[in-house]
Amino acid sequence: MSARWSDRQQAMLREMGVTLWLPPAPAEVPLPEVTVPVPVQAPVPSPAPAPAPVRMSRPVAAVAEANSPSAPRPLAARPSGVAAMDWPALREAVAGCEACGLCRSRRNTVFGVGHAQAQWMIIGEAPGEQEDRQGEPFVGKAGQLLDNMLRAVGLTRAEAGPEQQVYIANVLKCRPPMNRNPEPQEVAQCEPFLKRQVELVAPKLILAMGRFAVQSILQTGEPIGRLRGRMHAYQGVPVVVTYHPAYLLRNPADKARSWDDLCLAREVLRGGGPAPA
Ligand code: URA
């Protein structure tokens, strides 16, 4: 360790509460395929006359296919009126959302946690396996690192006032199977929920973590390395961009940069940072 880290970096790591970096997460076991039960017709007791031959027109074939056990669950339109929802309505809309294919494989939706009027809002990408099981964002190894990073700047996800307790949400509320990258149409379907969360929390600052979160909320294809260190805005809220904790677990050398990003965010909240670009 000491050969790889400068004194300043070691001090920073101590402050982030990190003494040992954890190894990368083990490979995941794929989720079992979810099949939708199809009602089984009771057998007809009396001998029925031989049925007339049926010519399968295309619509009939389509119906048969939709009813077959292997047919995917049909999607539904996203609940309307998201932009005007209050917290309970928004939570319910997310819980019941079937607007993209991720609803077919999720165990739970992952709405978000934290202070409803938090000054800091953390935006990540999408739930992983642990988050999908527990219905809460950032509870796996990346979440432990996030908690340490927050602690290093005096923040927490635990009960506290709006200056200390953050609000944590993801761009996607459902886990992409096998943690694959989110698809553009999944992000498009889910983003209104995030937008409304941002409006309701009305944070003073957003910390966007990881390429997908950053690129989706800032509508850019630029890499994090080029977006860090300067201010951006999402719905009028100042945004600081940083690496995703899962990336930092794989690339601990970039933790020092991420510490700089946290310090920039803290500066901005104290009123001393640069104005959004
Ligand atoms: N990664 C994210 O971006 N969000 C989570 O909730 C967990 C892992």
Side-chain angles (χ1 to χ4, degrees):
M1 253 280 177
S2 53
R4 292 179 47 212
W5 296 101
S6 67
D7 288 345
R8 177 179 169 273
Q9 284 173 322
Q10 286 181 52
M12 177 276 293
L13 293 178
R14 271 198 304 279
E15 195 169 359
M16 285 169 84
V18 181
T19 49
L20 260 184
W21 302 118
L22 296 162
E28 275 182 27
V29 180
L31 277 178
E33 280 290 317
V34 176
T35 50
V36 181
V38 169
V40 178
Q41 294 253 311
V44 181
S46 59
V54 176
R55 288 234 324 265
M56 290 284 276
S57 65
R58 292 192 86 219
V60 172
V63 169
E65 192 185 318
N67 285 335
S68 92
S70 58
R73 188 156 104 209
L75 300 178
R78 184 182 346 101
S80 60
V82 169
M85 284 178 180
D86 60 10
W87 281 115
L90 189 61
R91 187 178 283 279
E92 201 179 311
V94 167
C97 182
E98 298 192 340
C100 81
L102 298 183
C103 68
R104 296 185 179 123
S105 52
R106 74 182 175 215
R107 287 186 169 92
N108 289 295
T109 54
V110 179
F111 181 71
V113 284
H115 201 294
Q117 260 76 57
Q119 292 191 355
W120 289 66
M121 183 157 176
I122 315 296
I123 299 183
E125 172 184 324
E129 192 196 9
Q130 291 306 316
E131 292 77 19
D132 175 59
R133 283 180 190 279
Q134 298 184 38
E136 181 172 334
F138 283 105
V139 290
K141 283 185 178 143
Q144 288 165 22
L145 177 56
L146 173 61
D147 288 345
N148 291 343
M149 293 166 71
L150 294 176
R151 195 176 315 122
V153 282
L155 302 171
T156 177
R157 77 166 75 199
E159 286 290 297
E163 306 84 22
Q164 277 90 45
Q165 190 184 0
V166 299
Y167 189 88
I168 308 176
N170 285 312
V171 172
L172 291 189
K173 310 303 185 208
C174 297
R175 180 194 185 201
M178 308 296 294
N179 296 346
R180 65 156 168 75
N181 291 336
E183 302 277 355
Q185 96 279 5
E186 293 160 356
V187 173
Q189 285 297 342
C190 222
E191 211 205 346
F193 296 132
L194 178 68
K195 271 198 170 134
R196 188 60 186 151
Q197 284 175 303
V198 171
E199 277 167 8
L200 288 170
V201 175
K204 291 194 171 160
L205 181 117
I206 290 172
L207 184 65
M209 308 192 97
R211 182 163 70 93
F212 276 95
V214 166
Q215 293 184 344
S216 9
I217 69 172
L218 299 184
Q219 297 282 292
T220 177
E222 279 205 69
I224 300 242
R226 293 237 290 276
L227 297 165
R228 290 181 52 249
R230 57 195 167 98
M231 296 308 299
H232 307 271
Y234 179 62
Q235 299 198 102
V237 180
V239 174
V240 169
V241 161
T242 195
Y243 297 106
H244 194 282
Y247 166 87
L248 293 174
L249 288 171
R250 297 189 304 271
N251 300 274
D254 277 334
K255 281 178 178 167
R257 292 200 173 96
S258 150
W259 173 245
D260 290 341
D261 299 334
L262 284 174
C263 292
L264 169 63
R266 193 173 50 180
E267 253 329 86
V268 171
L269 254 187
R270 288 177 177 164

